[in-house]
């Protein structure tokens, strides 16, 4: 239910973005949003749920559920990843699509936001089945994606190989090459240098700015990273190579800790061999729950949503929380951090490096111009640092950084809506 000057407007609650209402509801007064503006932001423009059959290796047919939500396209074509996860719900996809809208606005790239997903555990599929699921998903959504409509990318449990299947299926349907329909492609197939680690590196550029504000030195900083997928692993690796002490890492199967520091290269080799960071010889086993409250200066949640919540936030010991995952902190936990003086660098800023380099890749695919790695990194750094300053200037540590980031993004989105005549 949305309230407009004491009068209730009856819109279907199921279509509202809960994350948006939670966060913007709170910001409503500060931002001076009108009820019309809040209502416009609280609902996605297009929301698709579809069911498609896939012939499994066994010869049996299984039905899958897919979602794609194109939340807002006032600032440009919608952009957002594709997630494969067994517990994915349409509410999650809506929240994540809304975050993409904000993220693209915070870093000021000309995209709206979207998100998609399939309810599936990809670890239980063969490679062939994974390919068939991806291709069937694209056939189902073919009319609604495209370089100037909606551009998918990797997200949780999807990788560059899946992006190639997306590209190939779409190009077969269209009967022509359309490399700008998807980002996160391998470099050999019109991808871009650095996309595989750009989310992590973008986060580190922002972290370095945050540390300057708190006068923290990297030689002394102890880091714990939750999640050892593309984002968590690359963050731990780059920080380790830069001289930070990584005291704990974890993945979905468990974690490892060593207060004197873990050799991340060796942890990576161990994971390659055994499938997990747990049981690493150079550390002692810890659970994911222990990692989050471990003794460290910088905590990096790089796994799934809602990991930091009112149950554990009070016990978090870090000075900085860098959200490389999407929505890892609940609103209650965010408020607890703020009271404790913990600086939280929000997802829409901290992990935006991925979509920023996706934007570079998209423009390369449109123009056929290819940049070297040095240029990609230089431009990424400049976008991330500008975004950090834009956000920080709005709060100067007096308010929560998430609030400042939302405020900046909402202002930019509503400005575009107003110019288009929608407000
Ligand atoms: N899935 C990533 C994110 O949540 C990247 C999206 C993109 O590159 O379009 O930011």
């Amino acid at each position: 239910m949305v309230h407009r000057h004491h009068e209730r407007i009856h819109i279907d609650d199921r279509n509202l973005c809960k994350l948006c209402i939670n966060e913007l509801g709170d910001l409503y007064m500060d931002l001076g949003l009108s009820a019309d503006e809040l209502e416009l932001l609280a609902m996605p423009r297009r929301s698709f749920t579809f069911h498609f059959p896939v012939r499994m290796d066994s010869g049996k047919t299984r039905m899958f559920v897919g979602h794609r939500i194109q939340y807002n396209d006032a600032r440009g074509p919608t952009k957002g990843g594709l997630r494969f996860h067994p517990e994915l719900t349409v509410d999650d996809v809506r929240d994540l699509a809304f975050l993409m809208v904000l993220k693209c606005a915070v870093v000021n790239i000309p995209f709206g936001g979207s998100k998609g997903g399939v309810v599936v555990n990809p670890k239980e599929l063969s490679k062939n089945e994974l390919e068939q699921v991806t291709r069937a998903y694209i056939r189902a959504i073919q009319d609604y994606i495209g370089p100037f409509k909606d551009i998918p990318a990797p997200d949780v449990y999807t990788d560059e190989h899946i992006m190639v299947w997306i590209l190939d299926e779409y190009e077969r349907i269209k009967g022509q090459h359309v490399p700008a329909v998807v980002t996160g492609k391998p470099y050999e197939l019109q991808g871009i240098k650095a996309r595989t680690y750009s989310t992590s590196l973008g986060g580190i550029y922002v972290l370095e700015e945050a540390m300057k504000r708190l006068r923290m030195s990297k030689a002394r900083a102890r880091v714990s990273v939750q999640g050892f997928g593309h984002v968590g692993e690359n963050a731990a690796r780059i920080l380790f190579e830069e001289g930070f002490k990584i005291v704990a890492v974890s993945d979905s199967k468990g974690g490892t800790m060593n207060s004197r520091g873990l050799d991340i290269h060796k942890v990576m080799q161990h994971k390659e061999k055994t499938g997990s960071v747990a049981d690493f010889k150079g550390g002692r086993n810890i659970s994911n729950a222990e990692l989050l409250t471990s003794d460290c200066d910088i905590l990096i949640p790089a796994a799934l949503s809602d990991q930091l919540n009112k149950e554990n936030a009070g016990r978090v010991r870090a000075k900085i929380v860098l959200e490389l995952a999407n929505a890892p902190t609940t609103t209650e936990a965010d408020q607890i951090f703020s009271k404790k003086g913990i600086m939280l660098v929000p997802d829409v800023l901290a992990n935006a490096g991925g979509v920023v380099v996706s934007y570079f890749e998209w423009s390369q695919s449109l123009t056929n111009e290819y940049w070297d790695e040095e240029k990609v990194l230089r431009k990424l750094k400049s976008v991330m640092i500008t975004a950090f300053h834009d956000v920080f200037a709005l709060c100067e540590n007096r308010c929560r950084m998430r609030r400042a980031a939302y405020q900046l993004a909402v202002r930019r989105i509503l400005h575009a809506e107003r110019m288009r005549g929608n407000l």
Side-chain angles (χ1 to χ4, degrees):
M1 205 80 75
V2 170
H3 299 263
R4 186 208 303 257
H5 310 308
H6 311 295
E7 159 208 348
R8 284 176 167 198
I9 315 159
H10 291 275
I11 46 180
D12 190 342
D13 275 13
R14 285 171 306 177
N15 292 326
L16 286 176
C17 169
K18 293 183 184 58
L19 182 77
C20 171
I21 296 290
N22 267 349
E23 286 291 337
L24 293 190
D26 183 32
L27 268 181
Y28 189 44
M29 299 305 275
D30 293 8
L31 284 179
L33 287 183
S34 69
D36 295 4
E37 289 168 336
L38 183 61
E39 199 179 337
L40 182 146
L41 292 169
M43 287 180 132
R45 292 298 164 88
R46 284 172 293 278
S47 181
F48 306 99
T49 293
F50 35 90
H51 305 93
F52 52 88
V54 171
R55 288 286 296 274
M56 306 302 276
D57 292 350
S58 64
K60 287 207 161 66
T61 296
R62 192 174 139 192
M63 289 301 287
F64 286 88
V65 184
H67 303 290
R68 185 84 189 162
I69 295 188
Q70 300 169 344
Y71 201 97
N72 184 290
D73 60 359
R75 291 172 40 88
T78 52
K79 184 82 191 80
L82 175 66
R83 175 176 291 214
F84 286 176
H85 199 274
E87 273 125 46
L88 188 74
T89 67
V90 68
D91 291 327
D92 300 333
V93 180
R94 193 183 304 110
D95 285 355
L96 292 164
F98 174 66
L99 283 180
M100 286 307 302
V101 183
L102 300 175
K103 198 183 296 188
C104 293
V106 166
V107 288
N108 216 357
I109 57 175
F111 286 137
S114 57
K115 197 69 143 207
V118 177
V119 185
V120 62
N121 184 352
K123 292 177 184 165
E124 287 168 5
L125 298 185
S126 70
K127 197 166 175 205
N128 171 57
E129 290 167 342
L130 195 58
E131 175 173 350
Q132 298 318 317
V133 167
T134 308
R135 289 184 183 274
Y137 178 91
I138 293 304
R139 285 195 297 277
I141 196 77
Q142 53 172 300
D143 287 337
Y144 305 100
I145 61 171
F148 301 107
K149 290 184 184 171
D150 181 23
I151 305 128
D155 197 77
V156 173
Y157 294 152
T158 55
D159 60 12
E160 58 176 33
H161 206 148
I162 292 177
M163 301 306 113
V164 175
W165 293 325
I166 293 179
L167 175 74
D168 187 71
E169 191 63 29
Y170 190 77
E171 292 185 339
R172 283 182 197 211
I173 295 165
K174 297 291 163 191
Q176 61 185 29
H177 285 286
V178 196
V181 68
V182 60
T183 61
K185 304 181 291 290
Y187 184 66
E188 298 71 29
L189 224 57
Q190 292 163 72
I192 187 167
K193 291 260 165 89
R195 178 64 184 85
T196 46
Y197 62 90
S198 59
T199 307
S200 317
L201 188 58
I204 292 169
Y205 290 145
V206 166
L207 173 66
E208 285 167 350
E209 293 303 302
M211 287 173 69
K212 279 186 210 158
R213 293 295 186 290
L214 299 184
R215 299 185 202 292
M216 284 167 70
S217 82
K218 74 169 144 190
R220 300 254 272 287
R222 296 161 307 149
V223 187
S224 295
V225 184
Q226 187 203 27
F228 218 68
H230 291 296
V231 177
E233 176 172 341
N234 278 306
R237 178 185 61 77
I238 299 169
L239 288 170
F240 173 67
E241 289 167 359
E242 284 191 6
F244 286 76
K245 191 188 276 183
I246 316 296
V247 291
V249 295
S250 68
D251 58 36
S252 57
K253 297 189 185 109
T256 181
M257 165 147 209
N258 185 338
S259 53
R260 275 170 292 139
L262 295 161
D263 180 332
I264 295 300
H265 293 152
K266 290 200 179 129
V267 175
M268 288 165 71
Q269 285 162 6
H270 174 77
K271 164 135 192 185
E272 182 79 33
K273 254 193 269 154
T274 64
S276 171
V277 299
D279 298 328
F280 174 64
K281 282 204 181 61
R284 69 173 174 89
N285 279 351
I286 53 163
S287 65
N288 263 290
E290 283 174 83
L291 181 138
L292 296 171
T293 55
S294 60
D295 190 11
C296 63
D297 304 297
I298 298 161
L299 175 64
I300 306 186
L304 293 168
S305 310
D306 300 339
Q307 299 297 302
L308 295 163
N309 45 49
K310 62 175 188 302
E311 315 303 331
N312 60 11
R315 284 177 286 124
V316 167
R317 291 191 260 176
K319 298 184 187 72
I320 297 181
V321 175
L322 182 76
E323 292 190 326
L324 289 188
N326 285 315
T329 311
T330 63
T331 310
E332 292 99 341
D334 198 328
Q335 279 152 357
I336 294 171
F337 291 159
S338 163
K339 279 199 204 100
K340 288 180 65 171
I342 297 175
M343 183 195 253
L344 181 137
V345 188
D347 47 7
V348 291
L349 171 63
N351 74 26
V355 74
V356 168
V357 174
S358 273
Y359 162 54
F360 300 157
E361 179 180 339
W362 174 79
S363 42
Q364 287 194 3
S365 292
L366 289 175
T367 57
N368 270 323
E369 191 204 327
Y370 289 89
W371 307 349
D372 57 28
E373 195 160 359
E374 193 273 322
K375 180 168 175 187
V376 177
L377 299 185
R378 182 164 36 83
K379 293 191 72 113
L380 171 65
K381 187 170 189 175
S382 142
V383 172
M384 296 307 295
I385 291 182
T386 304
F388 180 89
H389 289 287
D390 287 352
V391 171
F392 206 79
L394 281 178
C395 71
E396 286 294 345
N397 235 355
R398 282 191 300 276
C399 72
R400 292 188 291 130
M401 251 178 120
R402 191 186 316 279
R403 173 174 284 229
Y406 272 51
Q407 194 170 335
L408 175 70
V410 163
R411 217 182 259 170
R412 288 179 174 161
I413 297 157
L414 292 179
H415 187 61
E417 293 284 16
R418 212 165 287 124
M419 286 194 294
R420 284 179 183 278
N422 293 330
L423 282 169

